[in-house]
Amino acid sequence: METELSKRLGIEHAIFGFTPFPAVAAAISRAGGMGVLGAVRYSDADELARSLDWMEENTGGRPYGLDVVMPAKKVEGVSEADIEAMIPEGHREYVRQVLAKHGVPELGPDDVSGWRITGWMEQVARNQLDVAFDYPIKLLANALGSPPADVIARAHEHDVLVAAPAGSARHAGHHKDAGIDIVVAQGYEAGGHTGEIASMVLVPEVVSAVEGIPVLAAGGIGTGEQVAAGLALGAQGVWLGSVWLTTTEAELPSQVLIDKLLAAGSGDTVRSRALTGKPARQLRTEWTDAWEDPAGPGTLPMPLQGLLVADAVSRIQKYETEPLLGTPVGQIVGQMNSERSVQAVFDDLTRGFERAVDRINRIAGRA
């Protein structure tokens, strides 16, 4: 599964794996792909440095990357406390009511909320980059699109390629104008923040819109046959995220959540603003349903919603409140029905890719 882009980056397979877990990212790189570590949970730059130290020791010298969450436009003089003050009391009361309905206990006096959307703050992301550029990362991805121009320039000074997701050809064109090196065409099926155009339509539109720039296909991809389809549509690789959640190296907070993922079908996800304020595909739960209830106050815009629900999500996870417990995940969850190692996932991907190529060769009369 080599392409011009994979050869340029020195990876065996044109598979880019996003994950919040260092052990998964390192295993992806060792398996011949590009492990991309999500940085949004690292509000402490020293903690990120420790994870990157670990990556250095466990990737076997293979390339890896980092994914940050940085807005393209800078907002001056606004602190997290300022943002918190904008959250209406009615929304806070609604969160308390939903948690009380399901009997979710409070966090203990020594518990620290482990789920906090702070990485969206530009200064947090810049602190992360101050750390990251001291390491030999090969790829910098920004989950919110094109990062500020000075960040792109700084990455290029360190010989780091910059990637950004696009949910439409128009977005992809903006990335090209901004000097992005790789565009991730992320379809409707994807987990997390995603748009409204399905991958089969989106990928060739983006390839055409950014001619000359490598494109990665993303959204609903988790088999080798789907990898082959993405390359057939003009992509130079694929970006996979959800499929790693049920790998044995992943560090999901509970077996209850893992079991929910393994049991879920492709129709058991929903694009909801409940987690961050932007449409993000995740498991449908009574938590996401509560935020769609017309009797409720509705979600707040990003980043207010993320700050509003941060402690609630931590409580739901800590006490494994099954009806409310969920996670961002794509429609590929319907095929994630067993726990496998990252290497086993790669083995299945390569076998499926070979099957797809052989099938097309037979159809074309080449075999």
Side-chain angles (χ1 to χ4, degrees):
M1 292 184 284
E2 282 189 332
T3 65
E4 291 181 13
L5 179 61
S6 68
K7 292 175 182 177
R8 179 180 179 184
L9 287 167
I11 57 178
E12 182 180 357
H13 302 299
I15 294 175
F16 296 71
F18 165 81
T19 173
F21 308 121
V24 175
I28 292 168
S29 290
R30 292 197 306 270
M34 172 71 76
V36 183
L37 178 64
V40 70
R41 68 189 181 95
Y42 292 99
S43 57
D44 182 348
D46 290 338
E47 184 184 1
L48 175 60
R50 288 190 291 271
S51 288
L52 293 177
D53 284 337
W54 189 92
M55 292 280 291
E56 278 293 292
E57 296 168 2
N58 289 275
T59 51
R62 303 290 185 91
Y64 62 91
L66 191 73
D67 181 281
V68 298
V69 179
M70 177 177 282
K73 296 181 179 179
K74 188 171 185 176
V75 179
E76 299 282 359
V78 179
S79 68
E80 185 175 333
D82 295 330
I83 301 296
E84 288 266 14
M86 299 178 189
I87 298 173
E89 179 57 32
H91 281 73
R92 296 187 188 277
E93 176 59 27
Y94 187 68
V95 169
R96 289 191 286 266
Q97 290 174 4
V98 174
L99 296 178
K101 176 182 176 181
H102 292 274
V104 184
E106 298 276 357
L107 293 174
D110 297 325
D111 289 330
V112 176
S113 177
W115 190 93
R116 194 83 174 152
I117 294 293
T118 54
W120 62 267
M121 302 276 291
E122 180 177 345
Q123 191 54 53
V124 173
R126 287 186 178 275
N127 292 342
Q128 293 167 346
L129 293 178
D130 287 341
V131 170
F133 286 133
D134 286 336
Y135 293 81
I137 64 171
K138 297 300 182 183
L139 178 72
L140 173 65
N142 183 38
L144 292 183
S146 299
D150 68 295
V151 172
I152 298 174
R154 187 178 178 193
H156 290 166
E157 288 171 2
H158 287 82
D159 294 323
V160 174
L161 298 184
V162 181
S168 70
R170 180 174 60 84
H171 293 156
H174 292 329
H175 294 338
K176 181 178 181 178
D177 294 341
I180 293 296
D181 303 293
I182 302 169
V183 176
V184 182
Q186 182 165 295
Y188 172 82
E189 307 94 326
H193 295 132
T194 191
E196 299 181 347
I197 304 174
S199 298
M200 185 64 72
V201 173
L202 179 66
V203 173
E205 286 186 348
V206 170
V207 169
S208 177
V210 299
E211 186 176 359
I213 296 178
V215 172
L216 301 180
I221 301 174
T223 70
E225 288 85 353
Q226 291 168 318
V227 174
L231 299 187
L233 292 172
Q236 287 201 32
V238 294
W239 178 278
L240 309 183
S242 298
V243 72
W244 314 113
L245 289 173
T246 52
T247 56
T248 53
E249 293 91 343
E251 303 164 25
L252 286 179
S254 74
Q255 188 62 44
V256 174
L257 179 55
I258 293 171
D259 291 342
K260 289 188 75 170
L261 287 169
L262 296 176
S266 56
D268 293 327
T269 68
V270 62
R271 283 173 75 244
S272 169
R273 298 177 183 269
L275 194 60
T276 68
K278 283 191 173 185
R281 185 171 297 284
Q282 54 202 281
L283 278 181
R284 181 187 292 277
T285 66
E286 293 191 29
W287 176 256
T288 60
D289 288 347
W291 288 101
E292 298 298 325
D293 188 340
T299 57
L300 297 169
M302 189 179 192
L304 300 181
Q305 183 72 16
L307 293 171
L308 167 67
V309 305
D311 288 347
V313 172
S314 291
R315 289 164 62 183
I316 292 166
Q317 291 179 348
K318 176 179 172 63
Y319 299 108
E320 297 185 329
T321 311
E322 195 275 342
L324 303 177
L325 188 62
T327 186
V329 69
Q331 291 180 333
I332 193 63
V333 70
Q335 297 189 52
M336 294 159 48
N337 49 27
S338 66
E339 292 186 70
R340 300 174 291 166
S341 69
V342 168
Q343 184 61 60
V345 172
F346 264 84
D347 291 342
D348 286 344
L349 290 171
T350 53
R351 283 192 291 265
F353 182 82
E354 290 169 356
R355 285 194 300 268
V357 171
D358 288 345
R359 186 180 302 120
I360 294 301
N361 282 336
R362 287 195 300 273
I363 293 171
R366 299 192 184 99

